[in-house]
Amino acid sequence: MNISTDDVRHVAKLSRLNLTAAEEETMTGQLNAILHYAEKLNELDTEQVKPTTHVLHVSNVMRDDEVRESLTHEQVMRNAPEEEDGQFKVPAVLE
């Protein structure tokens, strides 16, 4: 698979990047080099390798679900930058 300069221009436009012609050529070459390097993995014999989601064994560490005291309403509201009628006041997001 090869990436063309048009592909680089398209991705740059989507990313809102203004690349010069020289930068487009440089990016095209670099991205193609990365893809060719990754294609080398297809040369490996992986028939005997089990599919995995992680290279290392990963397990969740869970704690017991215990009922414990939580913060009071007053303690929570002390952290509010602005408060109105006992609730957090935030800037409007709709007009």
Side-chain angles (χ1 to χ4, degrees):
M1 174 180 203
N2 280 332
I3 291 182
S4 69
T5 307
D6 289 336
D7 295 328
V8 171
R9 273 191 214 106
H10 179 70
V11 172
K13 181 180 177 184
L14 293 174
S15 304
R16 291 179 168 66
L17 296 174
N18 295 319
L19 300 178
T20 64
E23 290 172 327
E24 289 173 358
E25 289 298 322
T26 301
M27 286 289 165
T28 302
Q30 289 176 348
L31 291 171
N32 279 316
I34 291 168
L35 288 177
H36 291 303
Y37 185 77
E39 285 176 359
K40 290 185 179 228
L41 295 174
N42 292 332
E43 299 172 10
L44 295 174
D45 178 21
T46 58
E47 287 295 320
Q48 304 299 319
V49 178
K50 285 177 33 180
T52 59
T53 56
H54 293 282
V55 175
L56 302 172
H57 175 71
V58 177
S59 62
N60 288 332
V61 177
M62 306 295 264
R63 62 174 171 79
D64 292 336
D65 191 13
E66 299 172 356
V67 176
R68 58 185 180 171
E69 200 169 314
S70 60
L71 298 174
T72 65
H73 186 264
E74 291 77 27
Q75 289 171 317
V76 171
M77 295 314 292
R78 269 190 261 152
N79 291 317
E82 286 192 60
E83 179 248 335
E84 185 176 298
D85 298 327
Q87 299 178 8
F88 286 97
K89 184 176 180 181
V90 297
V93 293
L94 301 174
E95 292 181 21

Coordinates of all heavy atoms in Angstrom, one line a residue:
M1 N 0.8 -1.2 0.0 CA 0.0 0.0 0.0 C 0.9 1.2 0.0 O 1.8 1.3 0.8 CB -0.9 0.0 1.2 CG -1.7 1.2 1.4 SD -2.7 1.1 2.9 CE -4.0 2.3 2.4
N2 N 0.6 2.2 -0.9 CA 1.3 3.4 -0.9 C 0.4 4.6 -0.7 O -0.8 4.6 -1.0 CB 1.9 3.6 -2.3 CG 3.2 2.8 -2.4 OD1 3.9 2.5 -1.5 ND2 3.5 2.4 -3.7
I3 N 0.9 5.6 -0.1 CA 0.2 6.8 0.2 C 0.6 7.8 -0.8 O 1.8 8.0 -1.0 CB 0.5 7.3 1.6 CG1 -0.2 6.4 2.6 CG2 -0.1 8.7 1.8 CD1 -0.1 6.8 4.0
S4 N -0.3 8.5 -1.4 CA 0.0 9.5 -2.4 C 0.0 10.9 -1.8 O -0.5 11.1 -0.7 CB -1.0 9.5 -3.6 OG -2.3 9.9 -3.1
T5 N 0.5 11.9 -2.5 CA 0.5 13.2 -2.1 C -0.9 13.7 -1.9 O -1.2 14.5 -1.0 CB 1.3 14.1 -3.0 OG1 2.6 13.6 -3.2 CG2 1.5 15.5 -2.5
D6 N -1.8 13.2 -2.8 CA -3.2 13.6 -2.6 C -3.8 13.1 -1.3 O -4.6 13.8 -0.7 CB -4.1 13.0 -3.8 CG -3.8 13.7 -5.1 OD1 -3.3 14.9 -5.0 OD2 -4.0 13.1 -6.1
D7 N -3.4 11.9 -0.9 CA -3.8 11.4 0.4 C -3.3 12.3 1.6 O -4.1 12.6 2.5 CB -3.3 10.0 0.7 CG -3.9 9.0 -0.3 OD1 -5.1 9.2 -0.7 OD2 -3.2 8.0 -0.6
V8 N -2.1 12.7 1.5 CA -1.5 13.6 2.5 C -2.3 14.9 2.5 O -2.6 15.4 3.6 CB 0.0 13.8 2.3 CG1 0.6 14.9 3.2 CG2 0.7 12.5 2.5
R9 N -2.5 15.5 1.3 CA -3.3 16.7 1.3 C -4.7 16.6 1.9 O -5.1 17.5 2.6 CB -3.5 17.2 -0.2 CG -2.3 18.0 -0.7 CD -2.7 18.6 -2.1 NE -1.5 18.7 -2.8 CZ -1.2 17.9 -3.9 NH1 -2.0 17.0 -4.3 NH2 0.0 18.0 -4.5
H10 N -5.3 15.5 1.6 CA -6.7 15.2 2.2 C -6.6 15.1 3.7 O -7.4 15.8 4.4 CB -7.2 13.9 1.6 CG -8.6 13.6 2.1 ND1 -9.7 14.3 1.8 CD2 -9.0 12.6 2.9 CE1 -10.8 13.7 2.4 NE2 -10.3 12.7 3.1
V11 N -5.7 14.4 4.2 CA -5.6 14.3 5.7 C -5.2 15.6 6.3 O -5.7 16.0 7.4 CB -4.6 13.1 6.1 CG1 -4.3 13.1 7.6 CG2 -5.1 11.8 5.6
A12 N -4.3 16.3 5.7 CA -3.9 17.7 6.2 C -5.1 18.6 6.2 O -5.3 19.3 7.2 CB -2.8 18.2 5.3
K13 N -6.0 18.5 5.2 CA -7.2 19.4 5.2 C -8.1 19.0 6.3 O -8.7 19.8 7.0 CB -7.9 19.2 3.8 CG -9.1 20.1 3.7 CD -9.8 19.9 2.3 CE -11.1 20.7 2.3 NZ -11.8 20.5 1.0
L14 N -8.3 17.7 6.5 CA -9.2 17.2 7.6 C -8.6 17.6 9.0 O -9.4 17.9 9.9 CB -9.3 15.7 7.6 CG -10.1 15.1 6.4 CD1 -10.0 13.6 6.4 CD2 -11.5 15.6 6.4
S15 N -7.3 17.7 9.1 CA -6.6 18.0 10.3 C -6.4 19.5 10.4 O -5.9 20.0 11.4 CB -5.3 17.4 10.4 OG -5.4 16.0 10.3
R16 N -6.9 20.3 9.4 CA -6.7 21.7 9.4 C -5.3 22.1 9.5 O -4.9 23.1 10.2 CB -7.6 22.4 10.4 CG -9.1 22.3 10.1 CD -9.9 22.9 11.2 NE -11.3 23.1 10.9 CZ -12.2 22.2 10.7 NH1 -11.8 20.9 10.8 NH2 -13.5 22.4 10.4
L17 N -4.4 21.4 8.7 CA -3.0 21.7 8.7 C -2.7 22.4 7.3 O -3.1 21.9 6.3 CB -2.1 20.5 8.9 CG -2.3 19.7 10.2 CD1 -1.5 18.4 10.1 CD2 -1.7 20.6 11.3
N18 N -1.9 23.4 7.4 CA -1.5 24.1 6.1 C -0.1 23.6 5.9 O 0.9 24.1 6.5 CB -1.6 25.6 6.2 CG -3.0 26.1 6.4 OD1 -3.9 25.6 5.7 ND2 -3.2 27.0 7.3
L19 N 0.1 22.7 4.9 CA 1.4 22.1 4.6 C 1.9 22.8 3.3 O 1.1 23.0 2.4 CB 1.4 20.6 4.4 CG 0.9 19.8 5.7 CD1 0.9 18.3 5.3 CD2 1.8 20.0 6.8
T20 N 3.2 23.0 3.2 CA 3.8 23.5 2.0 C 4.0 22.3 1.1 O 3.9 21.1 1.5 CB 5.1 24.2 2.2 OG1 6.0 23.2 2.8 CG2 5.0 25.3 3.2
A21 N 4.3 22.5 -0.2 CA 4.5 21.4 -1.1 C 5.6 20.6 -0.6 O 5.6 19.3 -0.7 CB 4.7 22.0 -2.5
A22 N 6.7 21.2 -0.1 CA 7.8 20.4 0.4 C 7.5 19.6 1.6 O 7.9 18.4 1.7 CB 9.0 21.4 0.8
E23 N 6.6 20.1 2.5 CA 6.2 19.3 3.6 C 5.3 18.2 3.2 O 5.4 17.1 3.8 CB 5.4 20.2 4.6 CG 6.3 21.2 5.3 CD 5.5 22.2 6.1 OE1 4.4 22.6 5.7 OE2 6.0 22.6 7.2
E24 N 4.5 18.4 2.2 CA 3.6 17.3 1.6 C 4.5 16.2 1.1 O 4.2 15.0 1.4 CB 2.7 17.8 0.6 CG 1.6 18.7 1.1 CD 0.8 19.3 -0.1 OE1 1.1 19.1 -1.3 OE2 -0.2 20.1 0.2
E25 N 5.5 16.5 0.4 CA 6.4 15.5 -0.2 C 7.2 14.7 0.9 O 7.3 13.5 0.9 CB 7.4 16.1 -1.1 CG 6.8 16.6 -2.4 CD 6.2 15.5 -3.3 OE1 6.8 14.4 -3.3 OE2 5.2 15.7 -3.9
T26 N 7.6 15.5 1.9 CA 8.3 14.9 3.1 C 7.4 13.9 3.8 O 7.8 12.8 4.1 CB 8.8 16.0 4.0 OG1 9.7 16.8 3.3 CG2 9.6 15.3 5.2
M27 N 6.2 14.4 4.1 CA 5.2 13.5 4.8 C 4.9 12.3 4.0 O 4.7 11.2 4.5 CB 3.9 14.3 5.1 CG 4.0 15.3 6.2 SD 4.1 14.4 7.7 CE 4.7 15.7 8.7
T28 N 4.7 12.4 2.7 CA 4.4 11.3 1.8 C 5.5 10.2 1.9 O 5.2 9.0 2.1 CB 4.2 11.7 0.3 OG1 3.2 12.7 0.3 CG2 3.8 10.6 -0.5
G29 N 6.7 10.7 1.8 CA 7.9 9.8 1.9 C 7.9 9.1 3.3 O 8.2 7.9 3.4
Q30 N 7.7 9.9 4.3 CA 7.8 9.3 5.7 C 6.7 8.3 6.0 O 7.0 7.2 6.6 CB 7.8 10.4 6.7 CG 9.1 11.3 6.7 CD 9.0 12.4 7.7 OE1 7.9 12.8 8.2 NE2 10.1 13.1 8.0
L31 N 5.5 8.7 5.6 CA 4.4 7.7 5.8 C 4.5 6.5 5.0 O 4.2 5.4 5.5 CB 3.1 8.4 5.5 CG 2.7 9.5 6.4 CD1 1.5 10.3 5.9 CD2 2.4 9.0 7.8
N32 N 5.0 6.6 3.8 CA 5.3 5.4 3.0 C 6.4 4.5 3.6 O 6.3 3.3 3.6 CB 5.6 5.7 1.5 CG 4.4 6.0 0.7 OD1 3.4 5.3 0.8 ND2 4.4 7.1 -0.1
A33 N 7.4 5.1 4.1 CA 8.4 4.3 4.8 C 7.9 3.6 6.0 O 8.2 2.4 6.2 CB 9.6 5.3 5.2
I34 N 7.0 4.2 6.8 CA 6.4 3.6 7.9 C 5.6 2.4 7.5 O 5.6 1.3 8.0 CB 5.5 4.6 8.7 CG1 6.4 5.6 9.4 CG2 4.7 3.9 9.7 CD1 5.7 6.8 10.0
L35 N 4.7 2.6 6.4 CA 3.9 1.5 5.9 C 4.7 0.3 5.4 O 4.4 -0.9 5.6 CB 3.0 2.0 4.8 CG 1.8 2.9 5.3 CD1 1.0 3.3 4.1 CD2 0.9 2.1 6.3
H36 N 5.8 0.6 4.7 CA 6.7 -0.5 4.1 C 7.3 -1.2 5.3 O 7.5 -2.4 5.2 CB 7.7 0.1 3.2 CG 7.1 0.6 1.9 ND1 6.3 -0.2 1.0 CD2 7.1 1.8 1.3 CE1 5.9 0.5 0.0 NE2 6.4 1.7 0.1
Y37 N 7.7 -0.5 6.3 CA 8.3 -1.2 7.5 C 7.3 -2.1 8.1 O 7.6 -3.2 8.5 CB 8.8 -0.1 8.5 CG 9.6 -0.7 9.6 CD1 10.9 -1.2 9.5 CD2 9.0 -0.9 10.9 CE1 11.6 -1.8 10.5 CE2 9.7 -1.4 11.9 CZ 11.0 -1.9 11.8 OH 11.6 -2.5 12.8
A38 N 6.0 -1.6 8.3 CA 5.0 -2.4 8.9 C 4.7 -3.6 8.1 O 4.3 -4.7 8.6 CB 3.8 -1.6 9.1
E39 N 4.8 -3.5 6.7 CA 4.5 -4.7 5.9 C 5.5 -5.8 6.1 O 5.1 -7.0 5.8 CB 4.5 -4.2 4.4 CG 3.3 -3.4 4.0 CD 3.4 -2.9 2.6 OE1 4.4 -3.1 1.9 OE2 2.4 -2.3 2.2
K40 N 6.6 -5.6 6.7 CA 7.6 -6.6 6.9 C 7.0 -7.6 7.9 O 7.4 -8.8 8.0 CB 8.9 -6.0 7.5 CG 9.7 -5.3 6.5 CD 11.0 -4.9 7.0 CE 11.8 -4.1 6.0 NZ 13.1 -4.6 5.8
L41 N 6.0 -7.2 8.7 CA 5.4 -8.1 9.7 C 4.7 -9.2 9.0 O 4.5 -10.3 9.5 CB 4.5 -7.4 10.6 CG 5.1 -6.3 11.6 CD1 4.0 -5.6 12.3 CD2 6.1 -7.0 12.5
N42 N 4.2 -9.0 7.8 CA 3.5 -10.0 7.0 C 4.4 -11.2 6.6 O 4.0 -12.2 6.2 CB 2.9 -9.4 5.7 CG 1.8 -8.5 6.1 OD1 1.1 -8.6 7.1 ND2 1.5 -7.5 5.2
E43 N 5.7 -10.9 6.7 CA 6.7 -12.0 6.3 C 6.9 -13.0 7.4 O 7.5 -14.0 7.2 CB 8.1 -11.3 6.0 CG 8.0 -10.4 4.8 CD 9.3 -9.6 4.5 OE1 10.3 -10.0 5.2 OE2 9.3 -8.7 3.7
L44 N 6.4 -12.6 8.6 CA 6.6 -13.5 9.8 C 5.6 -14.7 9.8 O 4.5 -14.5 9.4 CB 6.5 -12.7 11.1 CG 7.5 -11.7 11.4 CD1 7.1 -10.9 12.6 CD2 8.9 -12.3 11.5
D45 N 6.1 -15.9 10.2 CA 5.2 -17.0 10.3 C 4.5 -17.0 11.7 O 5.2 -17.1 12.7 CB 6.0 -18.3 10.1 CG 5.1 -19.5 10.3 OD1 3.8 -19.4 10.2 OD2 5.6 -20.6 10.6
T46 N 3.2 -16.7 11.7 CA 2.5 -16.5 13.0 C 1.5 -17.6 13.2 O 0.6 -17.5 14.0 CB 1.8 -15.2 13.1 OG1 0.9 -15.0 11.9 CG2 2.8 -14.0 13.0
E47 N 1.6 -18.7 12.5 CA 0.6 -19.8 12.5 C 0.5 -20.4 14.0 O -0.5 -20.8 14.4 CB 1.0 -20.9 11.6 CG 0.8 -20.6 10.1 CD -0.7 -20.4 9.8 OE1 -1.6 -21.2 10.4 OE2 -1.0 -19.5 9.1
Q48 N 1.6 -20.5 14.7 CA 1.7 -21.1 16.0 C 1.5 -20.1 17.1 O 1.6 -20.5 18.3 CB 3.0 -21.9 16.2 CG 3.2 -23.0 15.1 CD 2.1 -24.0 15.1 OE1 1.7 -24.5 16.1 NE2 1.7 -24.4 13.9
V49 N 1.2 -18.9 16.8 CA 1.1 -17.8 17.8 C -0.4 -17.6 18.1 O -1.2 -17.4 17.2 CB 1.7 -16.5 17.4 CG1 1.6 -15.4 18.4 CG2 3.2 -16.7 17.0
K50 N -0.7 -17.8 19.4 CA -2.1 -17.6 19.8 C -2.4 -16.1 19.8 O -1.6 -15.3 20.2 CB -2.3 -18.1 21.3 CG -2.4 -19.6 21.4 CD -2.5 -20.1 22.8 CE -3.3 -19.2 23.7 NZ -3.5 -19.7 25.1
P51 N -3.6 -15.7 19.3 CA -4.0 -14.3 19.3 C -4.2 -13.9 20.8 O -4.7 -14.6 21.6 CB -5.4 -14.3 18.6 CG -5.5 -15.6 17.9 CD -4.6 -16.6 18.7
T52 N -3.8 -12.7 21.0 CA -3.9 -12.1 22.4 C -4.3 -10.6 22.3 O -4.2 -10.0 21.2 CB -2.6 -12.1 23.2 OG1 -1.6 -11.4 22.4 CG2 -2.1 -13.5 23.4
T53 N -4.9 -10.1 23.3 CA -5.3 -8.7 23.3 C -4.2 -7.9 24.0 O -4.1 -6.7 23.8 CB -6.6 -8.5 24.1 OG1 -6.5 -9.0 25.4 CG2 -7.7 -9.1 23.4
H54 N -3.3 -8.5 24.8 CA -2.2 -7.9 25.5 C -1.0 -8.8 25.5 O -1.2 -10.0 25.6 CB -2.6 -7.5 27.0 CG -3.7 -6.5 27.1 ND1 -3.5 -5.2 27.0 CD2 -5.0 -6.7 27.4 CE1 -4.6 -4.6 27.2 NE2 -5.5 -5.4 27.4
V55 N 0.1 -8.2 25.4 CA 1.4 -9.0 25.5 C 1.6 -9.5 26.9 O 2.0 -10.7 27.0 CB 2.6 -8.1 25.1 CG1 3.8 -8.9 25.2 CG2 2.4 -7.6 23.6
L56 N 1.2 -8.8 27.9 CA 1.4 -9.2 29.3 C 0.0 -9.5 29.9 O -1.0 -9.0 29.4 CB 2.0 -8.0 30.1 CG 3.4 -7.5 29.6 CD1 3.8 -6.3 30.4 CD2 4.4 -8.6 29.7
H57 N 0.1 -10.4 30.8 CA -1.2 -10.8 31.5 C -1.7 -9.5 32.3 O -1.0 -8.9 33.0 CB -0.9 -11.9 32.5 CG -2.1 -12.2 33.3 ND1 -3.2 -12.8 32.8 CD2 -2.4 -12.0 34.6 CE1 -4.2 -13.0 33.8 NE2 -3.7 -12.4 34.9
V58 N -3.0 -9.2 32.0 CA -3.6 -8.0 32.7 C -4.8 -8.5 33.4 O -5.6 -9.3 32.9 CB -4.0 -7.0 31.6 CG1 -4.7 -5.8 32.2 CG2 -2.8 -6.5 30.8
S59 N -4.9 -8.0 34.7 CA -6.1 -8.4 35.5 C -6.5 -7.1 36.3 O -5.6 -6.3 36.7 CB -5.8 -9.5 36.4 OG -4.8 -9.2 37.3
N60 N -7.8 -7.0 36.5 CA -8.3 -5.9 37.3 C -8.1 -6.2 38.8 O -8.2 -7.4 39.2 CB -9.8 -5.7 37.1 CG -10.0 -5.1 35.7 OD1 -9.2 -4.4 35.2 ND2 -11.2 -5.4 35.1
V61 N -7.7 -5.2 39.5 CA -7.6 -5.3 40.9 C -8.8 -4.7 41.5 O -9.1 -3.5 41.4 CB -6.3 -4.6 41.5 CG1 -6.3 -4.7 43.0 CG2 -5.1 -5.2 40.8
M62 N -9.7 -5.6 42.1 CA -10.9 -5.1 42.6 C -10.9 -5.0 44.2 O -10.3 -5.9 44.8 CB -12.1 -6.0 42.2 CG -12.1 -6.3 40.7 SD -12.5 -4.8 39.8 CE -14.2 -5.0 39.6
R63 N -11.5 -4.0 44.7 CA -11.6 -4.0 46.2 C -13.0 -4.3 46.6 O -14.0 -4.3 45.7 CB -11.3 -2.5 46.6 CG -12.2 -1.5 46.1 CD -11.9 -0.1 46.8 NE -12.6 1.0 46.2 CZ -13.9 1.3 46.4 NH1 -14.6 0.5 47.2 NH2 -14.5 2.3 45.8
D64 N -13.2 -4.7 47.8 CA -14.5 -5.0 48.3 C -15.4 -3.8 48.2 O -15.0 -2.7 48.5 CB -14.5 -5.5 49.7 CG -13.8 -6.9 49.8 OD1 -13.8 -7.6 48.8 OD2 -13.3 -7.2 50.9
D65 N -16.7 -4.0 47.9 CA -17.6 -2.9 47.8 C -18.2 -2.7 49.2 O -19.0 -3.5 49.7 CB -18.8 -3.2 46.9 CG -19.6 -2.1 46.6 OD1 -19.3 -0.9 46.9 OD2 -20.7 -2.3 46.0
E66 N -17.7 -1.6 49.9 CA -18.1 -1.4 51.3 C -18.9 -0.1 51.4 O -18.5 0.9 50.7 CB -16.8 -1.2 52.1 CG -16.0 -2.5 52.2 CD -14.7 -2.2 52.9 OE1 -14.4 -1.1 53.3 OE2 -13.9 -3.2 53.1
V67 N -19.9 -0.1 52.2 CA -20.6 1.2 52.4 C -19.8 2.0 53.4 O -19.2 1.6 54.4 CB -22.0 0.9 53.1 CG1 -22.7 2.1 53.5 CG2 -22.8 0.0 52.2
R68 N -19.6 3.3 53.0 CA -18.8 4.2 53.8 C -19.4 5.6 53.7 O -20.1 5.9 52.7 CB -17.3 4.2 53.5 CG -17.0 4.6 52.0 CD -15.6 4.4 51.8 NE -15.3 4.8 50.4 CZ -14.2 4.9 49.8 NH1 -13.1 4.7 50.6 NH2 -14.0 5.2 48.6
E69 N -19.1 6.4 54.6 CA -19.6 7.7 54.7 C -19.1 8.6 53.5 O -17.9 8.5 53.1 CB -19.2 8.4 56.0 CG -20.1 9.5 56.4 CD -19.9 10.0 57.8 OE1 -19.8 9.1 58.7 OE2 -19.8 11.2 58.0
S70 N -20.0 9.4 52.9 CA -19.6 10.2 51.8 C -19.6 11.7 52.3 O -19.9 12.0 53.4 CB -20.5 10.0 50.6 OG -21.8 10.3 51.0
L71 N -19.2 12.6 51.4 CA -19.2 14.0 51.7 C -20.6 14.5 51.9 O -21.5 14.1 51.3 CB -18.5 14.8 50.6 CG -17.1 14.4 50.3 CD1 -16.6 15.2 49.1 CD2 -16.2 14.7 51.5
T72 N -20.7 15.5 52.8 CA -22.0 16.2 53.0 C -22.2 17.2 51.8 O -21.3 17.6 51.1 CB -22.0 16.9 54.3 OG1 -21.1 18.0 54.3 CG2 -21.7 16.0 55.5
H73 N -23.4 17.6 51.7 CA -23.8 18.6 50.6 C -23.0 19.9 50.8 O -22.4 20.4 49.9 CB -25.3 18.9 50.7 CG -25.7 19.7 49.5 ND1 -25.9 21.1 49.7 CD2 -26.0 19.4 48.2 CE1 -26.2 21.6 48.5 NE2 -26.3 20.6 47.6
E74 N -22.8 20.3 52.1 CA -22.0 21.5 52.4 C -20.6 21.4 52.0 O -19.9 22.3 51.4 CB -22.1 21.9 53.8 CG -23.5 22.3 54.3 CD -24.5 21.2 54.4 OE1 -24.1 20.0 54.7 OE2 -25.7 21.4 54.2
Q75 N -20.0 20.2 52.2 CA -18.6 19.9 51.9 C -18.4 20.0 50.4 O -17.4 20.5 49.9 CB -18.1 18.6 52.4 CG -17.9 18.6 53.9 CD -17.7 17.2 54.5 OE1 -18.3 16.2 54.0 NE2 -16.8 17.1 55.4
V76 N -19.3 19.4 49.7 CA -19.3 19.4 48.2 C -19.4 20.8 47.7 O -18.6 21.2 46.8 CB -20.4 18.5 47.6 CG1 -20.4 18.6 46.1 CG2 -20.1 17.0 48.0
M77 N -20.3 21.6 48.2 CA -20.6 22.9 47.6 C -19.4 23.9 47.9 O -19.3 24.9 47.3 CB -21.9 23.4 48.1 CG -23.1 22.7 47.7 SD -23.1 22.3 45.9 CE -23.3 23.9 45.2
R78 N -18.6 23.5 48.9 CA -17.4 24.4 49.2 C -16.4 24.4 48.0 O -15.7 25.3 47.9 CB -16.7 23.9 50.5 CG -17.2 24.6 51.7 CD -16.4 24.3 52.9 NE -17.1 23.2 53.6 CZ -16.5 22.3 54.4 NH1 -15.2 22.3 54.5 NH2 -17.2 21.4 55.0
N79 N -16.5 23.3 47.2 CA -15.6 23.2 46.1 C -16.2 23.9 44.8 O -15.5 23.9 43.8 CB -15.3 21.7 45.8 CG -14.4 21.1 46.8 OD1 -13.5 21.7 47.3 ND2 -14.7 19.9 47.2
A80 N -17.4 24.3 44.9 CA -18.0 24.9 43.7 C -17.5 26.3 43.4 O -17.5 27.1 44.3 CB -19.5 24.9 43.9
P81 N -17.1 26.6 42.2 CA -16.7 28.0 41.9 C -17.8 28.9 42.0 O -17.7 30.1 42.5 CB -16.1 27.9 40.5 CG -16.6 26.6 39.9 CD -17.0 25.7 41.1
E82 N -19.0 28.5 41.6 CA -20.3 29.3 41.8 C -21.4 28.3 42.2 O -21.4 27.2 41.7 CB -20.6 30.0 40.5 CG -19.8 31.2 40.1 CD -20.4 32.0 39.0 OE1 -21.5 32.5 39.2 OE2 -19.7 32.1 38.0
E83 N -22.3 28.9 43.0 CA -23.4 28.0 43.5 C -24.7 28.9 43.5 O -24.6 30.1 43.7 CB -23.0 27.6 44.9 CG -24.1 26.7 45.6 CD -24.7 27.4 46.7 OE1 -24.1 28.3 47.3 OE2 -25.9 27.1 47.0
E84 N -25.8 28.2 43.2 CA -27.0 28.9 43.2 C -28.1 27.9 43.6 O -28.2 26.8 43.0 CB -27.4 29.4 41.8 CG -28.6 30.3 41.7 CD -28.8 30.9 40.3 OE1 -28.0 31.7 39.9 OE2 -29.9 30.5 39.7
D85 N -28.9 28.3 44.6 CA -29.9 27.4 45.1 C -29.5 26.0 45.5 O -30.1 25.0 45.2 CB -31.1 27.3 44.1 CG -31.7 28.7 43.9 OD1 -31.8 29.5 44.8 OD2 -32.2 28.9 42.7
G86 N -28.2 25.9 46.0 CA -27.7 24.6 46.5 C -27.2 23.7 45.4 O -27.0 22.5 45.5
Q87 N -27.0 24.3 44.2 CA -26.5 23.5 43.0 C -25.3 24.2 42.4 O -25.2 25.5 42.5 CB -27.6 23.4 42.0 CG -28.9 22.7 42.5 CD -30.0 22.6 41.5 OE1 -29.8 22.9 40.3 NE2 -31.1 22.1 41.9
F88 N -24.5 23.5 41.7 CA -23.4 24.1 40.9 C -24.0 25.0 39.8 O -24.9 24.6 39.1 CB -22.6 23.0 40.2 CG -21.7 22.2 41.2 CD1 -22.1 21.0 41.7 CD2 -20.4 22.8 41.6 CE1 -21.2 20.3 42.6 CE2 -19.6 22.1 42.4 CZ -20.0 20.8 42.9
K89 N -23.4 26.2 39.7 CA -23.8 27.1 38.6 C -22.7 27.0 37.6 O -21.6 27.3 37.9 CB -24.0 28.5 39.2 CG -24.5 29.4 38.1 CD -24.8 30.8 38.7 CE -25.3 31.7 37.6 NZ -25.6 33.1 38.1
V90 N -23.1 26.7 36.4 CA -22.2 26.6 35.2 C -22.6 27.6 34.1 O -23.8 27.9 34.0 CB -22.1 25.2 34.7 CG1 -21.5 24.3 35.8 CG2 -23.4 24.7 34.2
P91 N -21.7 27.9 33.2 CA -22.1 28.8 32.1 C -23.1 28.1 31.2 O -23.1 26.8 31.0 CB -20.8 29.0 31.4 CG -19.7 28.7 32.3 CD -20.3 27.7 33.3
A92 N -24.0 28.8 30.6 CA -25.0 28.3 29.7 C -24.3 27.7 28.5 O -23.4 28.4 28.0 CB -26.0 29.3 29.4
V93 N -24.8 26.6 28.0 CA -24.2 26.1 26.7 C -25.2 26.2 25.6 O -24.8 25.9 24.4 CB -23.8 24.6 26.9 CG1 -22.6 24.5 27.9 CG2 -25.0 23.7 27.4
L94 N -26.4 26.5 25.8 CA -27.4 26.7 24.8 C -27.9 28.2 24.8 O -27.9 28.8 25.9 CB -28.6 25.8 25.0 CG -28.3 24.3 25.1 CD1 -29.6 23.5 25.5 CD2 -27.8 23.8 23.7
E95 N -28.2 28.7 23.7 CA -28.7 30.0 23.6 C -30.2 30.0 23.8 O -31.0 29.2 23.5 CB -28.4 30.6 22.2 CG -26.9 30.8 22.1 CD -26.6 31.5 20.8 OE1 -27.4 32.1 20.1 OE2 -25.4 31.3 20.4

